[in-house]
Amino acid sequence: MKFNEPATSNPIDQLKVVGQPVDRIDGPLKTTGTAPYALDRHDVVPNQAHGYVIGAAIPTGRIVSMDLAAAKAAPGVIAIVTAQNAGKLTKGNFNTAMLLGGPRVEHYHQAVALVVAETFEQARDAASLVRIKYERTPGGGEFDLRAVQNKAIAPKSEAAETRVGNFTGAFASAPVKLDAEYHTAHESHMMMEPHASVAAWDGDQLTVWTSNQMIAWAKGDLAKTLNIPKDKVRVLSPYVGGGFGSKLFLRADVVLAALGAKAARRPVRVPLQRALIPNNTTHRSATLQRIRIGATREGKITAIGHESWSGNLKDGSPENAATQTRSLYAGEHRMTSNRVAAMDLPEANAMRAPGEAPGMAALEIAMDEMAEKLGMDPVQFRILNDTQVVPDNPEKPTSSDPQSKKPEKEKHIANPPFSKRQFVQCLQTGAQRFGWERRSSKPGTLRDGRWLVGMGVAGAFRDSLLTKSAARVRLDRRGMLTVETDMTDIGTGSYTIIAQTASEMMGVPLERVRVRLGDSSLPASCGSGGQWGGHNSTAGVYAACIKLREAVARQAGFEPERAIFADGLVRMGERSLPLSEAVAGRELVGEDLIEYGDIGKRYQLSTFGAHFVEVGVDAVTCEVRIRRMLAVCAAGRILNPKTARSQVIGAMTMGAGAALMEELAVDKRLGYFVNHDLATYEVPVHADIPHQEVIFLDEVDPMSSPMKAKGIAELGICGVAAAVANAVYNATGVRVREYPITLDKLITKMPLQA
């Protein structure tokens, strides 16, 4: 199905099932511990051996020698895999470093060996006996972003910078100006389920059971890495215990499980040890950001500039923290740039709302600072500078498919309108609901006992990406539906909204729909990531259901355009048939994909929101406590309010962590993240998070897909950190521009309290 014109009325608009707060159909499996996660797959293949990964002990250099003798002689050891005996390996399309290093070492904890043994304990013990001699790169390496900031370069494959009008001149002549620098920290995904895989060979056919968000990407990159045909690889990941972007791409556990299974000549299971994950897999890069805003005395922005610097391994991508500033606020004269510096820290890549999360953490503080300079309320300042068209519009790739690596140039479309933009409504609704009028405009004046109390606001923004997605729907003789697609469920409720879509389209009860996900032998979906999964995967199911409706109608002797599917029946006029009879004793199948024309170029598809936070800051110790949180979101049709709310409050929690505690601490001598486990990397717990309220504005977006929906899972984190920071400032009068906002950054600047 080609989607290139606005959606008109269709069966989804009935909202009998879609749009309802349905419980997650996979919930009972997960709450009873029976959902089969990657490392639980003891039953899929017998005689599994255990692999233990050895990570490099230096950040950059080479392996001089590896003494494996003692390890090979240890009890239970079956095989040891290294780069020397693994055969020819190739780097995947989505990897910056080799997933099995040696002799060259590209980053600390890069996998350099796998010990395979009969038990996990035997593999771990033998791994401790491997003796590796290293030679570090002379000079040690680059581990400090600020030290290499002036060496940062523009990325080749992305819109590195934009310029509209004369920013320099307009900023210089603006009556009111802000010029400030902000810093966000390195962050880790820290999902509860580790990266883990089970691999088995049947001749030259490889099957892996793993934890991965993007099945098609994993299959393609695994085949490329091992230099085998794609049709010889099958990837299964029906349940994912959290990814947040770290499982978008092929990681070392998958490759090493496959190599270990080949070397051992039996299935092998490989979990990445928790302490290995932050350095071995990906993380969100720290950023340095400079924001300049010029405005009239009445508060109209005339010049806005946002520059961002981040670090990555050589040839790695930047953290595009300046990108949302191209679309969010008006201003005639504009400048943005994203730069990346080569560093020797582990690989940086996507983490929930890549770009926008750290970018808005800075931008939305700057907006508050500018509002204060103008003597304006921060909500009103944002409303005054709303725009209904994209004010800064560089040429976009021809393809909106994130798998497209080398997009061609397209005809420039100047200032396209937003398909839907209810940003102002989000701010107004939130201000009213939160009691914004009770906020003191003078920081540090509201108290509750020993607590200084403050309120903060921030805008939220995230683009809604159009990505092709396929599905197959089967209707059997009993009238049961089975939906098949390689889409994944990373805790987002994919099983449920896909079942709701099929139920609505075919007019059958939800309990008569079965959903199969996470298998590369099924039609290739959009996968889970980029906030594109929900609306694109369900649109693919919609397209497949249209095909199935046509097949059923023809089988029943009805005209497909006039057939109505409801209550387990198909009918036209006065005649109706149960679906179980309409199939005439055989299974009927509908298969299709949703793909998009240029509608995403003619209109800007984005999601909007507003975050409101109240904090208390202890006047003596400077301990920060979040007291209330509210998110107001405008993100197209909400397919399931219950699961959507769950996504937003989870994102708000992550934003609170980024604001107050999350930071991968870098050892700048040895080049690694010191706090690389759940014991020392701080994340919010229940005691840190108060009641969170979420409001979804009534919105359908016919430009997005036949579902008229958009994404929600990443919008919920965008702006949260800044809302917390702004609330802390409102409480204390101390402005912190470096995250996380720990008490040491407040305590020396706090005014004396009576």
Side-chain angles (χ1 to χ4, degrees), residues 545-555 558 560-561 565:
C545 285
I546 290 291
K547 292 287 189 183
L548 181 58
R549 285 165 62 105
E550 293 172 354
V552 172
R554 290 193 180 97
Q555 184 69 39
F558 297 154
E561 297 79 12
F565 292 76

Side-chain angles (χ1 to χ4, degrees), residues 244-546:
F244 311 117
S246 74
K247 296 174 182 174
L248 284 171
F249 317 110
L250 191 72
R251 300 310 310 170
D253 59 296
V254 190
V255 173
L256 290 174
L259 293 172
K262 178 167 281 191
R265 298 186 179 182
R266 58 188 276 194
V268 169
R269 55 197 297 105
V270 177
L272 290 183
Q273 307 92 273
R274 176 64 64 181
L276 204 70
I277 290 173
N279 289 294
N280 179 272
T281 66
T282 63
H283 70 284
R284 193 198 302 278
S285 172
T287 68
L288 297 170
Q289 300 178 54
R290 182 188 183 191
I291 298 177
R292 285 173 282 176
I293 303 175
T296 65
R297 298 195 187 280
E298 294 72 33
K300 280 282 190 180
I301 292 175
T302 56
I304 185 166
H306 191 163
E307 298 166 275
S308 173
W309 295 265
S310 58
N312 209 338
L313 294 173
K314 186 178 182 296
D315 298 325
S317 58
E319 182 73 36
N320 289 317
T323 302
Q324 76 287 313
T325 306
R326 299 168 184 172
S327 302
L328 190 50
Y329 296 112
E332 182 180 359
H333 303 280
R334 319 175 64 82
M335 177 274 293
T336 69
S337 72
N338 295 296
R339 297 288 184 269
V340 60
M343 298 180 69
D344 297 305
L345 290 173
E347 180 179 352
N349 215 313
M351 183 171 166
R352 197 172 198 168
E356 288 95 341
M360 297 194 74
L363 174 65
E364 290 300 295
I365 291 182
M367 290 295 289
D368 258 44
E369 293 196 63
M370 193 65 182
E372 185 176 50
K373 282 177 175 285
L374 291 159
M376 292 185 67
D377 178 87
V379 171
Q380 293 306 314
F381 178 54
R382 288 171 171 85
I383 290 173
L384 179 65
N385 289 286
D386 185 45
T387 173
Q388 293 300 308
V389 299
V390 178
D392 182 346
N393 186 46
E395 294 185 12
K396 297 181 182 178
T398 298
S399 171
S400 58
D401 185 342
Q403 298 184 51
S404 176
K405 300 295 286 185
K406 295 181 180 179
E408 297 176 358
K409 292 285 186 177
E410 65 171 24
K411 184 178 179 181
H412 180 70
I413 301 173
N415 307 114
F418 289 95
S419 59
K420 289 279 184 178
R421 181 179 167 117
Q422 293 197 83
F423 183 45
V424 168
Q425 292 87 333
C426 289
L427 289 163
Q428 292 172 333
T429 300
Q432 181 180 15
R433 186 65 166 261
F434 202 67
W436 186 252
E437 74 280 357
R438 298 194 297 272
R439 171 185 176 271
S440 173
S441 60
K442 185 177 179 181
T445 58
L446 288 182
R447 294 191 68 145
D448 180 8
R450 66 186 290 168
W451 296 94
L452 298 168
V453 179
M455 295 186 193
V457 66
F461 171 89
R462 174 76 172 162
D463 275 335
S464 183
L465 301 176
L466 301 179
T467 310
K468 66 182 179 183
S469 191
R472 181 166 54 237
V473 185
R474 302 179 184 274
L475 177 63
D476 68 18
R477 292 174 295 177
R478 300 169 297 156
M480 293 287 294
L481 281 177
T482 300
V483 185
E484 299 174 330
T485 171
D486 80 354
M487 180 62 182
T488 49
D489 191 320
I490 60 174
T492 47
S494 300
Y495 280 101
T496 309
I497 59 173
I498 284 173
Q500 287 176 269
T501 302
S503 172
E504 193 82 76
M505 289 295 294
M506 300 307 299
V508 302
L510 197 58
E511 58 268 20
R512 297 190 68 80
V513 180
R514 176 173 173 258
V515 179
R516 292 184 60 208
L517 300 181
D519 184 340
S520 65
S521 68
L522 304 177
S525 73
C526 57
S528 296
Q531 195 176 269
W532 63 65
H535 68 103
N536 286 294
S537 66
T538 53
V541 173
Y542 173 97
C545 285
I546 290 291

Side-chain angles (χ1 to χ4, degrees), residues 72-395:
K72 288 180 177 179
V77 171
I78 303 166
I80 300 178
V81 176
T82 70
Q84 286 187 314
N85 61 21
K88 183 178 183 332
L89 301 177
T90 303
K91 187 165 67 176
N93 292 331
F94 297 98
N95 298 129
T96 306
M98 293 291 292
L99 296 181
L100 176 59
R104 181 187 173 203
V105 174
E106 297 170 89
H107 62 84
Y108 188 86
H109 270 173
Q110 181 178 23
V112 294
L114 177 77
V115 178
V116 180
E118 295 289 348
T119 70
F120 172 80
E121 291 77 12
Q122 289 173 331
R124 181 179 59 187
D125 180 66
S128 70
L129 302 176
V130 174
R131 297 291 177 258
I132 306 176
K133 289 185 178 180
Y134 298 97
E135 183 179 273
R136 287 190 60 166
T137 299
E142 300 287 1
F143 313 124
D144 185 343
L145 177 58
R146 192 172 293 279
V148 296
Q149 181 179 4
N150 62 353
K151 299 178 183 178
I153 61 173
K156 297 177 182 178
S157 60
E158 318 208 22
E161 66 178 42
T162 60
R163 293 184 180 274
V164 176
N166 179 8
F167 167 77
T168 303
F171 180 74
S173 62
V176 184
K177 292 191 281 283
L178 170 77
D179 186 346
E181 184 177 285
Y182 306 87
H183 177 234
T184 64
H186 297 286
E187 294 174 17
S188 177
H189 306 80
M190 281 295 172
M191 75 302 297
M192 290 184 68
E193 182 201 23
H195 295 72
S197 299
V198 176
W201 293 86
D202 183 3
D204 62 352
Q205 180 70 46
L206 171 64
T207 302
V208 294
W209 296 264
T210 188
S211 185
N212 188 276
Q213 298 173 227
M214 304 291 295
I215 301 298
W217 291 7
K219 177 177 179 174
D221 263 14
L222 183 55
K224 181 176 180 180
T225 301
L226 300 178
N227 295 292
I228 61 176
K230 283 176 65 173
D231 62 6
K232 298 297 184 182
V233 176
R234 185 181 181 190
V235 176
L236 297 102
S237 185
Y239 296 97
V240 180
F244 311 117
S246 74
K247 296 174 182 174
L248 284 171
F249 317 110
L250 191 72
R251 300 310 310 170
D253 59 296
V254 190
V255 173
L256 290 174
L259 293 172
K262 178 167 281 191
R265 298 186 179 182
R266 58 188 276 194
V268 169
R269 55 197 297 105
V270 177
L272 290 183
Q273 307 92 273
R274 176 64 64 181
L276 204 70
I277 290 173
N279 289 294
N280 179 272
T281 66
T282 63
H283 70 284
R284 193 198 302 278
S285 172
T287 68
L288 297 170
Q289 300 178 54
R290 182 188 183 191
I291 298 177
R292 285 173 282 176
I293 303 175
T296 65
R297 298 195 187 280
E298 294 72 33
K300 280 282 190 180
I301 292 175
T302 56
I304 185 166
H306 191 163
E307 298 166 275
S308 173
W309 295 265
S310 58
N312 209 338
L313 294 173
K314 186 178 182 296
D315 298 325
S317 58
E319 182 73 36
N320 289 317
T323 302
Q324 76 287 313
T325 306
R326 299 168 184 172
S327 302
L328 190 50
Y329 296 112
E332 182 180 359
H333 303 280
R334 319 175 64 82
M335 177 274 293
T336 69
S337 72
N338 295 296
R339 297 288 184 269
V340 60
M343 298 180 69
D344 297 305
L345 290 173
E347 180 179 352
N349 215 313
M351 183 171 166
R352 197 172 198 168
E356 288 95 341
M360 297 194 74
L363 174 65
E364 290 300 295
I365 291 182
M367 290 295 289
D368 258 44
E369 293 196 63
M370 193 65 182
E372 185 176 50
K373 282 177 175 285
L374 291 159
M376 292 185 67
D377 178 87
V379 171
Q380 293 306 314
F381 178 54
R382 288 171 171 85
I383 290 173
L384 179 65
N385 289 286
D386 185 45
T387 173
Q388 293 300 308
V389 299
V390 178
D392 182 346
N393 186 46
E395 294 185 12

Side-chain angles (χ1 to χ4, degrees), residues 500-722:
Q500 287 176 269
T501 302
S503 172
E504 193 82 76
M505 289 295 294
M506 300 307 299
V508 302
L510 197 58
E511 58 268 20
R512 297 190 68 80
V513 180
R514 176 173 173 258
V515 179
R516 292 184 60 208
L517 300 181
D519 184 340
S520 65
S521 68
L522 304 177
S525 73
C526 57
S528 296
Q531 195 176 269
W532 63 65
H535 68 103
N536 286 294
S537 66
T538 53
V541 173
Y542 173 97
C545 285
I546 290 291
K547 292 287 189 183
L548 181 58
R549 285 165 62 105
E550 293 172 354
V552 172
R554 290 193 180 97
Q555 184 69 39
F558 297 154
E559 298 174 32
E561 297 79 12
R562 296 178 56 198
I564 296 173
F565 292 76
D567 304 318
L569 305 172
V570 56
R571 71 174 184 269
M572 188 178 75
E574 298 298 319
R575 182 173 168 240
S576 66
L577 280 174
L579 290 181
S580 57
E581 295 181 20
V583 299
R586 65 189 184 92
E587 181 182 70
L588 293 180
V589 179
E591 183 172 345
D592 203 355
L593 78 161
I594 191 81
E595 54 183 341
Y596 303 91
D598 67 352
I599 195 165
K601 304 164 192 171
R602 291 183 278 130
Y603 299 92
Q604 179 75 21
L605 277 73
S606 302
T607 60
F608 297 90
H611 289 287
F612 292 81
V613 173
E614 180 181 283
V615 303
V617 181
D618 190 295
V620 177
T621 68
C622 294
E623 174 190 2
V624 179
R625 283 287 180 188
I626 296 175
R627 296 158 65 104
R628 292 189 293 143
M629 301 182 81
L630 167 68
V632 184
C633 304
R637 171 174 283 153
I638 303 302
L639 302 176
N640 184 327
K642 182 174 287 188
T643 57
R645 177 184 180 274
S646 178
Q647 286 302 290
V648 175
I649 64 174
M652 292 163 72
T653 301
M654 290 186 74
L660 298 177
M661 60 191 72
E662 292 194 42
E663 178 180 17
L664 282 170
V666 180
D667 185 317
K668 295 178 182 177
R669 302 162 304 148
L670 302 178
Y672 72 103
F673 299 123
V674 180
N675 52 336
H676 48 231
D677 55 43
L678 279 170
T680 51
Y681 181 87
E682 299 288 340
V683 296
V685 296
H686 284 295
D688 297 311
I689 303 299
H691 174 72
Q692 298 163 309
E693 187 177 3
V694 180
I695 298 172
F696 296 115
L697 296 189
D698 186 20
E699 179 177 294
V700 293
D701 193 337
M703 311 299 179
S704 68
S705 77
M707 304 299 294
K708 304 173 186 175
K710 292 187 284 198
I712 195 71
E714 298 184 331
L715 179 69
I717 194 175
C718 298
V720 173

